[in-house]
PDB file of all heavy atoms in Angstrom:
ATOM      1  N   VAL A   1       0.831  -1.205   0.000  1.00 98.00           N
ATOM      2  CA  VAL A   1       0.000   0.000   0.000  1.00 98.00           C
ATOM      3  C   VAL A   1       0.869   1.261   0.000  1.00 98.00           C
ATOM      4  O   VAL A   1       0.435   2.332  -0.412  1.00 98.00           O
ATOM      5  CB  VAL A   1      -0.965  -0.009   1.211  1.00 98.00           C
ATOM      6  CG1 VAL A   1      -0.230   0.290   2.514  1.00 98.00           C
ATOM      7  CG2 VAL A   1      -2.108   0.970   1.014  1.00 98.00           C
ATOM      8  N   TRP A   2       2.134   1.121   0.442  1.00 98.00           N
ATOM      9  CA  TRP A   2       3.052   2.250   0.538  1.00 98.00           C
ATOM     10  C   TRP A   2       3.974   2.356  -0.683  1.00 98.00           C
ATOM     11  O   TRP A   2       4.917   3.156  -0.660  1.00 98.00           O
ATOM     12  CB  TRP A   2       3.910   2.130   1.789  1.00 98.00           C
ATOM     13  CG  TRP A   2       3.170   2.190   3.080  1.00 98.00           C
ATOM     14  CD1 TRP A   2       3.074   1.222   4.036  1.00 98.00           C
ATOM     15  CD2 TRP A   2       2.447   3.321   3.604  1.00 98.00           C
ATOM     16  NE1 TRP A   2       2.336   1.658   5.103  1.00 98.00           N
ATOM     17  CE2 TRP A   2       1.936   2.940   4.874  1.00 98.00           C
ATOM     18  CE3 TRP A   2       2.178   4.599   3.123  1.00 98.00           C
ATOM     19  CZ2 TRP A   2       1.169   3.804   5.656  1.00 98.00           C
ATOM     20  CZ3 TRP A   2       1.423   5.462   3.902  1.00 98.00           C
ATOM     21  CH2 TRP A   2       0.928   5.060   5.154  1.00 98.00           C
ATOM     22  N   ASN A   3       3.774   1.578  -1.735  1.00 98.00           N
ATOM     23  CA  ASN A   3       4.733   1.546  -2.848  1.00 98.00           C
ATOM     24  C   ASN A   3       5.060   2.928  -3.402  1.00 98.00           C
ATOM     25  O   ASN A   3       6.226   3.289  -3.567  1.00 98.00           O
ATOM     26  CB  ASN A   3       4.223   0.638  -3.974  1.00 98.00           C
ATOM     27  CG  ASN A   3       4.465  -0.835  -3.700  1.00 98.00           C
ATOM     28  OD1 ASN A   3       5.114  -1.195  -2.720  1.00 98.00           O
ATOM     29  ND2 ASN A   3       3.942  -1.684  -4.562  1.00 98.00           N
ATOM     30  N   ALA A   4       4.040   3.700  -3.725  1.00 98.00           N
ATOM     31  CA  ALA A   4       4.286   5.032  -4.295  1.00 98.00           C
ATOM     32  C   ALA A   4       4.961   5.944  -3.275  1.00 98.00           C
ATOM     33  O   ALA A   4       5.812   6.772  -3.627  1.00 98.00           O
ATOM     34  CB  ALA A   4       2.977   5.647  -4.784  1.00 98.00           C
ATOM     35  N   THR A   5       4.580   5.791  -2.015  1.00 98.00           N
ATOM     36  CA  THR A   5       5.190   6.582  -0.942  1.00 98.00           C
ATOM     37  C   THR A   5       6.662   6.243  -0.799  1.00 98.00           C
ATOM     38  O   THR A   5       7.522   7.134  -0.688  1.00 98.00           O
ATOM     39  CB  THR A   5       4.449   6.319   0.386  1.00 98.00           C
ATOM     40  OG1 THR A   5       3.062   6.577   0.213  1.00 98.00           O
ATOM     41  CG2 THR A   5       4.998   7.191   1.494  1.00 98.00           C
ATOM     42  N   VAL A   6       6.975   4.953  -0.803  1.00 98.00           N
ATOM     43  CA  VAL A   6       8.361   4.508  -0.647  1.00 98.00           C
ATOM     44  C   VAL A   6       9.207   4.935  -1.844  1.00 98.00           C
ATOM     45  O   VAL A   6      10.388   5.282  -1.697  1.00 98.00           O
ATOM     46  CB  VAL A   6       8.418   2.980  -0.448  1.00 98.00           C
ATOM     47  CG1 VAL A   6       9.855   2.467  -0.494  1.00 98.00           C
ATOM     48  CG2 VAL A   6       7.773   2.602   0.878  1.00 98.00           C
ATOM     49  N   TYR A   7       8.620   4.931  -3.019  1.00 98.00           N
ATOM     50  CA  TYR A   7       9.332   5.404  -4.202  1.00 98.00           C
ATOM     51  C   TYR A   7       9.884   6.813  -3.974  1.00 98.00           C
ATOM     52  O   TYR A   7      11.025   7.128  -4.341  1.00 98.00           O
ATOM     53  CB  TYR A   7       8.397   5.385  -5.410  1.00 98.00           C
ATOM     54  CG  TYR A   7       8.954   6.087  -6.633  1.00 98.00           C
ATOM     55  CD1 TYR A   7       9.969   5.513  -7.390  1.00 98.00           C
ATOM     56  CD2 TYR A   7       8.453   7.338  -7.012  1.00 98.00           C
ATOM     57  CE1 TYR A   7      10.481   6.161  -8.497  1.00 98.00           C
ATOM     58  CE2 TYR A   7       8.962   7.991  -8.126  1.00 98.00           C
ATOM     59  CZ  TYR A   7       9.981   7.406  -8.867  1.00 98.00           C
ATOM     60  OH  TYR A   7      10.477   8.053  -9.956  1.00 98.00           O
ATOM     61  N   GLU A   8       9.087   7.674  -3.349  1.00 97.00           N
ATOM     62  CA  GLU A   8       9.524   9.049  -3.087  1.00 97.00           C
ATOM     63  C   GLU A   8      10.448   9.134  -1.868  1.00 97.00           C
ATOM     64  O   GLU A   8      11.515   9.747  -1.925  1.00 97.00           O
ATOM     65  CB  GLU A   8       8.302   9.952  -2.880  1.00 97.00           C
ATOM     66  CG  GLU A   8       7.468  10.165  -4.120  1.00 97.00           C
ATOM     67  CD  GLU A   8       8.189  10.971  -5.184  1.00 97.00           C
ATOM     68  OE1 GLU A   8       9.115  11.733  -4.845  1.00 97.00           O
ATOM     69  OE2 GLU A   8       7.827  10.824  -6.365  1.00 97.00           O
ATOM     70  N   LEU A   9      10.045   8.512  -0.776  1.00 98.00           N
ATOM     71  CA  LEU A   9      10.779   8.709   0.478  1.00 98.00           C
ATOM     72  C   LEU A   9      12.128   7.999   0.511  1.00 98.00           C
ATOM     73  O   LEU A   9      13.065   8.461   1.165  1.00 98.00           O
ATOM     74  CB  LEU A   9       9.927   8.245   1.662  1.00 98.00           C
ATOM     75  CG  LEU A   9       8.629   9.006   1.919  1.00 98.00           C
ATOM     76  CD1 LEU A   9       7.996   8.539   3.225  1.00 98.00           C
ATOM     77  CD2 LEU A   9       8.852  10.514   1.954  1.00 98.00           C
ATOM     78  N   SER A  10      12.232   6.866  -0.202  1.00 98.00           N
ATOM     79  CA  SER A  10      13.481   6.093  -0.149  1.00 98.00           C
ATOM     80  C   SER A  10      14.644   6.801  -0.831  1.00 98.00           C
ATOM     81  O   SER A  10      15.795   6.387  -0.695  1.00 98.00           O
ATOM     82  CB  SER A  10      13.276   4.712  -0.776  1.00 98.00           C
ATOM     83  OG  SER A  10      12.919   4.828  -2.142  1.00 98.00           O
ATOM     84  N   LYS A  11      14.364   7.886  -1.541  1.00 97.00           N
ATOM     85  CA  LYS A  11      15.445   8.675  -2.130  1.00 97.00           C
ATOM     86  C   LYS A  11      16.274   9.367  -1.058  1.00 97.00           C
ATOM     87  O   LYS A  11      17.454   9.674  -1.277  1.00 97.00           O
ATOM     88  CB  LYS A  11      14.861   9.720  -3.085  1.00 97.00           C
ATOM     89  CG  LYS A  11      14.096   9.141  -4.268  1.00 97.00           C
ATOM     90  CD  LYS A  11      13.389  10.228  -5.059  1.00 97.00           C
ATOM     91  CE  LYS A  11      12.529   9.651  -6.173  1.00 97.00           C
ATOM     92  NZ  LYS A  11      11.766  10.703  -6.898  1.00 97.00           N
ATOM     93  N   ASN A  12      15.653   9.606   0.098  1.00 97.00           N
ATOM     94  CA  ASN A  12      16.344  10.343   1.167  1.00 97.00           C
ATOM     95  C   ASN A  12      16.275   9.669   2.536  1.00 97.00           C
ATOM     96  O   ASN A  12      16.936  10.129   3.474  1.00 97.00           O
ATOM     97  CB  ASN A  12      15.739  11.751   1.291  1.00 97.00           C
ATOM     98  CG  ASN A  12      15.896  12.563   0.016  1.00 97.00           C
ATOM     99  OD1 ASN A  12      17.000  12.837  -0.430  1.00 97.00           O
ATOM    100  ND2 ASN A  12      14.773  12.934  -0.596  1.00 97.00           N
ATOM    101  N   TYR A  13      15.478   8.609   2.654  1.00 97.00           N
ATOM    102  CA  TYR A  13      15.272   7.965   3.948  1.00 97.00           C
ATOM    103  C   TYR A  13      15.411   6.446   3.827  1.00 97.00           C
ATOM    104  O   TYR A  13      15.251   5.883   2.737  1.00 97.00           O
ATOM    105  CB  TYR A  13      13.874   8.284   4.494  1.00 97.00           C
ATOM    106  CG  TYR A  13      13.622   9.741   4.753  1.00 97.00           C
ATOM    107  CD1 TYR A  13      13.029  10.553   3.778  1.00 97.00           C
ATOM    108  CD2 TYR A  13      13.955  10.317   5.990  1.00 97.00           C
ATOM    109  CE1 TYR A  13      12.780  11.901   4.015  1.00 97.00           C
ATOM    110  CE2 TYR A  13      13.711  11.660   6.223  1.00 97.00           C
ATOM    111  CZ  TYR A  13      13.131  12.440   5.235  1.00 97.00           C
ATOM    112  OH  TYR A  13      12.897  13.767   5.478  1.00 97.00           O
ATOM    113  N   GLU A  14      15.686   5.823   4.946  1.00 98.00           N
ATOM    114  CA  GLU A  14      15.671   4.364   5.045  1.00 98.00           C
ATOM    115  C   GLU A  14      14.271   3.945   5.485  1.00 98.00           C
ATOM    116  O   GLU A  14      13.864   4.163   6.625  1.00 98.00           O
ATOM    117  CB  GLU A  14      16.707   3.894   6.065  1.00 98.00           C
ATOM    118  CG  GLU A  14      16.794   2.380   6.206  1.00 98.00           C
ATOM    119  CD  GLU A  14      17.802   1.973   7.256  1.00 98.00           C
ATOM    120  OE1 GLU A  14      17.437   1.970   8.460  1.00 98.00           O
ATOM    121  OE2 GLU A  14      18.960   1.681   6.901  1.00 98.00           O
ATOM    122  N   CYS A  15      13.514   3.344   4.570  1.00 98.00           N
ATOM    123  CA  CYS A  15      12.112   3.008   4.810  1.00 98.00           C
ATOM    124  C   CYS A  15      11.979   1.561   5.271  1.00 98.00           C
ATOM    125  O   CYS A  15      12.405   0.639   4.563  1.00 98.00           O
ATOM    126  CB  CYS A  15      11.294   3.220   3.537  1.00 98.00           C
ATOM    127  SG  CYS A  15      11.272   4.920   2.943  1.00 98.00           S
ATOM    128  N   HIS A  16      11.388   1.361   6.429  1.00 98.00           N
ATOM    129  CA  HIS A  16      11.094   0.035   6.964  1.00 98.00           C
ATOM    130  C   HIS A  16       9.596  -0.198   6.762  1.00 98.00           C
ATOM    131  O   HIS A  16       8.760   0.390   7.450  1.00 98.00           O
ATOM    132  CB  HIS A  16      11.449  -0.028   8.455  1.00 98.00           C
ATOM    133  CG  HIS A  16      12.900   0.202   8.731  1.00 98.00           C
ATOM    134  ND1 HIS A  16      13.728  -0.777   9.238  1.00 98.00           N
ATOM    135  CD2 HIS A  16      13.686   1.308   8.565  1.00 98.00           C
ATOM    136  CE1 HIS A  16      14.947  -0.296   9.372  1.00 98.00           C
ATOM    137  NE2 HIS A  16      14.950   0.974   8.971  1.00 98.00           N
ATOM    138  N   VAL A  17       9.261  -1.058   5.802  1.00 98.00           N
ATOM    139  CA  VAL A  17       7.882  -1.214   5.346  1.00 98.00           C
ATOM    140  C   VAL A  17       7.332  -2.537   5.886  1.00 98.00           C
ATOM    141  O   VAL A  17       7.806  -3.614   5.527  1.00 98.00           O
ATOM    142  CB  VAL A  17       7.808  -1.193   3.808  1.00 98.00           C
ATOM    143  CG1 VAL A  17       6.352  -1.160   3.353  1.00 98.00           C
ATOM    144  CG2 VAL A  17       8.576   0.004   3.240  1.00 98.00           C
ATOM    145  N   PHE A  18       6.297  -2.450   6.714  1.00 98.00           N
ATOM    146  CA  PHE A  18       5.789  -3.599   7.454  1.00 98.00           C
ATOM    147  C   PHE A  18       4.587  -4.243   6.773  1.00 98.00           C
ATOM    148  O   PHE A  18       3.757  -3.561   6.168  1.00 98.00           O
ATOM    149  CB  PHE A  18       5.369  -3.169   8.868  1.00 98.00           C
ATOM    150  CG  PHE A  18       6.527  -2.875   9.783  1.00 98.00           C
ATOM    151  CD1 PHE A  18       7.276  -1.720   9.634  1.00 98.00           C
ATOM    152  CD2 PHE A  18       6.865  -3.761  10.787  1.00 98.00           C
ATOM    153  CE1 PHE A  18       8.345  -1.446  10.467  1.00 98.00           C
ATOM    154  CE2 PHE A  18       7.936  -3.503  11.631  1.00 98.00           C
ATOM    155  CZ  PHE A  18       8.678  -2.348  11.470  1.00 98.00           C
ATOM    156  N   THR A  19       4.505  -5.567   6.903  1.00 98.00           N
ATOM    157  CA  THR A  19       3.280  -6.324   6.660  1.00 98.00           C
ATOM    158  C   THR A  19       3.058  -7.188   7.887  1.00 98.00           C
ATOM    159  O   THR A  19       3.955  -7.946   8.290  1.00 98.00           O
ATOM    160  CB  THR A  19       3.382  -7.217   5.408  1.00 98.00           C
ATOM    161  OG1 THR A  19       3.603  -6.399   4.258  1.00 98.00           O
ATOM    162  CG2 THR A  19       2.090  -8.016   5.218  1.00 98.00           C
ATOM    163  N   PHE A  20       1.902  -7.092   8.494  1.00 98.00           N
ATOM    164  CA  PHE A  20       1.660  -7.749   9.781  1.00 98.00           C
ATOM    165  C   PHE A  20       1.178  -9.188   9.601  1.00 98.00           C
ATOM    166  O   PHE A  20       0.657  -9.573   8.548  1.00 98.00           O
ATOM    167  CB  PHE A  20       0.652  -6.937  10.601  1.00 98.00           C
ATOM    168  CG  PHE A  20       1.110  -5.543  10.905  1.00 98.00           C
ATOM    169  CD1 PHE A  20       0.299  -4.445  10.636  1.00 98.00           C
ATOM    170  CD2 PHE A  20       2.369  -5.311  11.441  1.00 98.00           C
ATOM    171  CE1 PHE A  20       0.726  -3.155  10.910  1.00 98.00           C
ATOM    172  CE2 PHE A  20       2.809  -4.031  11.720  1.00 98.00           C
ATOM    173  CZ  PHE A  20       1.984  -2.946  11.445  1.00 98.00           C
ATOM    174  N   ALA A  21       1.356  -9.966  10.653  1.00 98.00           N
ATOM    175  CA  ALA A  21       0.998 -11.380  10.643  1.00 98.00           C
ATOM    176  C   ALA A  21      -0.469 -11.580  10.278  1.00 98.00           C
ATOM    177  O   ALA A  21      -1.341 -10.855  10.752  1.00 98.00           O
ATOM    178  CB  ALA A  21       1.280 -12.004  12.009  1.00 98.00           C
ATOM    179  N   GLY A  22      -0.717 -12.560   9.413  1.00 98.00           N
ATOM    180  CA  GLY A  22      -2.070 -12.861   8.984  1.00 98.00           C
ATOM    181  C   GLY A  22      -2.508 -12.105   7.755  1.00 98.00           C
ATOM    182  O   GLY A  22      -3.593 -12.365   7.218  1.00 98.00           O
ATOM    183  N   PHE A  23      -1.679 -11.167   7.279  1.00 98.00           N
ATOM    184  CA  PHE A  23      -1.993 -10.378   6.096  1.00 98.00           C
ATOM    185  C   PHE A  23      -1.008 -10.714   4.980  1.00 98.00           C
ATOM    186  O   PHE A  23       0.162 -11.031   5.236  1.00 98.00           O
ATOM    187  CB  PHE A  23      -1.947  -8.880   6.392  1.00 98.00           C
ATOM    188  CG  PHE A  23      -2.903  -8.431   7.469  1.00 98.00           C
ATOM    189  CD1 PHE A  23      -2.645  -7.298   8.216  1.00 98.00           C
ATOM    190  CD2 PHE A  23      -4.062  -9.142   7.729  1.00 98.00           C
ATOM    191  CE1 PHE A  23      -3.532  -6.874   9.209  1.00 98.00           C
ATOM    192  CE2 PHE A  23      -4.948  -8.733   8.718  1.00 98.00           C
ATOM    193  CZ  PHE A  23      -4.678  -7.593   9.465  1.00 98.00           C
ATOM    194  N   GLY A  24      -1.453 -10.620   3.737  1.00 97.00           N
ATOM    195  CA  GLY A  24      -0.588 -10.972   2.622  1.00 97.00           C
ATOM    196  C   GLY A  24      -0.138 -12.418   2.748  1.00 97.00           C
ATOM    197  O   GLY A  24      -0.937 -13.315   3.007  1.00 97.00           O
ATOM    198  N   ASP A  25       1.150 -12.633   2.592  1.00 96.00           N
ATOM    199  CA  ASP A  25       1.725 -13.974   2.693  1.00 96.00           C
ATOM    200  C   ASP A  25       2.339 -14.255   4.061  1.00 96.00           C
ATOM    201  O   ASP A  25       2.992 -15.282   4.246  1.00 96.00           O
ATOM    202  CB  ASP A  25       2.804 -14.157   1.616  1.00 96.00           C
ATOM    203  CG  ASP A  25       2.232 -14.094   0.205  1.00 96.00           C
ATOM    204  OD1 ASP A  25       1.102 -14.581   0.018  1.00 96.00           O
ATOM    205  OD2 ASP A  25       2.918 -13.566  -0.688  1.00 96.00           O
ATOM    206  N   VAL A  26       2.153 -13.342   5.021  1.00 97.00           N
ATOM    207  CA  VAL A  26       2.758 -13.529   6.343  1.00 97.00           C
ATOM    208  C   VAL A  26       1.871 -14.463   7.174  1.00 97.00           C
ATOM    209  O   VAL A  26       0.671 -14.204   7.320  1.00 97.00           O
ATOM    210  CB  VAL A  26       2.932 -12.175   7.068  1.00 97.00           C
ATOM    211  CG1 VAL A  26       3.659 -12.378   8.389  1.00 97.00           C
ATOM    212  CG2 VAL A  26       3.689 -11.193   6.174  1.00 97.00           C
ATOM    213  N   PRO A  27       2.413 -15.546   7.715  1.00 97.00           N
ATOM    214  CA  PRO A  27       1.594 -16.496   8.482  1.00 97.00           C
ATOM    215  C   PRO A  27       0.900 -15.835   9.665  1.00 97.00           C
ATOM    216  O   PRO A  27       1.402 -14.867  10.249  1.00 97.00           O
ATOM    217  CB  PRO A  27       2.621 -17.543   8.960  1.00 97.00           C
ATOM    218  CG  PRO A  27       3.751 -17.434   7.990  1.00 97.00           C
ATOM    219  CD  PRO A  27       3.815 -15.992   7.592  1.00 97.00           C
ATOM    220  N   ALA A  28      -0.269 -16.359  10.006  1.00 96.00           N
ATOM    221  CA  ALA A  28      -1.044 -15.824  11.124  1.00 96.00           C
ATOM    222  C   ALA A  28      -0.398 -16.207  12.458  1.00 96.00           C
ATOM    223  O   ALA A  28       0.405 -17.137  12.541  1.00 96.00           O
ATOM    224  CB  ALA A  28      -2.468 -16.354  11.073  1.00 96.00           C
ATOM    225  N   ILE A  29      -0.751 -15.476  13.501  1.00 97.00           N
ATOM    226  CA  ILE A  29      -0.329 -15.777  14.865  1.00 97.00           C
ATOM    227  C   ILE A  29      -1.572 -15.919  15.738  1.00 97.00           C
ATOM    228  O   ILE A  29      -2.676 -15.540  15.345  1.00 97.00           O
ATOM    229  CB  ILE A  29       0.592 -14.673  15.441  1.00 97.00           C
ATOM    230  CG1 ILE A  29      -0.119 -13.304  15.394  1.00 97.00           C
ATOM    231  CG2 ILE A  29       1.909 -14.620  14.691  1.00 97.00           C
ATOM    232  CD1 ILE A  29       0.640 -12.179  16.076  1.00 97.00           C
TER     233      ILE A  29
END
């Protein structure tokens, strides 16, 4: 969801982009 945001911000910042457990391909807890 942050792809366009990261495209801009990663030019000047170190972006740590999270996906939480149970969402996408991340196993549930």
Side-chain angles (χ1 to χ4, degrees):
V1 74
W2 296 117
N3 280 354
T5 305
V6 171
Y7 170 74
E8 292 292 336
L9 296 187
S10 62
K11 298 172 185 176
N12 299 299
Y13 298 93
E14 182 182 83
C15 298
H16 298 246
V17 188
F18 287 74
T19 299
F20 300 129
F23 301 154
D25 296 324
V26 184
I29 57 174

